[in-house]
Amino acid sequence: MIALHEANLADLPDHGVLNDPWTYDVVEARYVAGRHPFGTLDLVLEKDGQRLVLRFTDAHNLAIDPGFPYSYMGLELLDVSSIGWERTRIRVQGSEDAPGIRFWAGDVQRIDG
């Protein structure tokens, strides 16, 4: 099995939890550490005055660049379940080359409101 950092993500499909995630602004991020190396990450997103939360469980390898979210790069949510990694089915990364947030997760839940 290939390592996370060696994965070719170019042809993987978008995750279906949220249509057009790059059109939302990230207005808040909350990380709660769990059993090493996993945690829970809530991303609060806003579009047209409406907010929603994406709750990522088994989040790991979290990286946040200086300048994020003010130099926003657009959010990309990929379904990596076809690769077959245990506890890793989602990749979150930027859709452009700008400061952003990147991590892997096992699952995601959309919470509206």
Side-chain angles (χ1 to χ4, degrees):
M1 186 175 296
I2 61 174
L4 292 176
H5 67 278
E6 296 173 343
N8 180 359
L9 307 178
D11 295 325
L12 292 174
D14 292 335
H15 193 281
V17 71
L18 182 65
N19 292 329
D20 304 328
W22 56 87
T23 64
Y24 288 79
D25 291 322
V26 177
V27 295
E28 187 175 338
R30 291 185 303 265
Y31 182 80
V32 178
R35 187 174 180 144
H36 182 74
F38 301 103
T40 300
L41 178 66
D42 286 354
L43 286 182
V44 180
L45 307 178
E46 185 175 73
K47 179 179 177 179
D48 300 328
Q50 299 294 313
R51 287 189 176 199
L52 64 92
V53 176
L54 294 181
R55 176 165 291 150
F56 296 90
T57 55
D58 289 343
H60 56 101
N61 289 58
L62 173 63
I64 300 175
D65 297 326
F68 174 80
Y70 300 106
S71 297
Y72 188 53
M73 76 321 186
L75 206 56
E76 186 174 32
L77 308 173
L78 299 175
D79 181 343
V80 299
S81 60
S82 64
I83 297 175
W85 291 315
E86 185 177 339
R87 296 180 76 172
T88 303
R89 293 184 293 280
I90 301 160
R91 172 65 174 172
V92 177
Q93 60 186 21
S95 59
E96 300 173 16
D97 187 25
I101 187 170
R102 293 172 303 286
F103 60 93
W104 303 90
D107 200 10
V108 61
Q109 176 185 8
R110 178 179 171 156
I111 305 167
D112 291 306

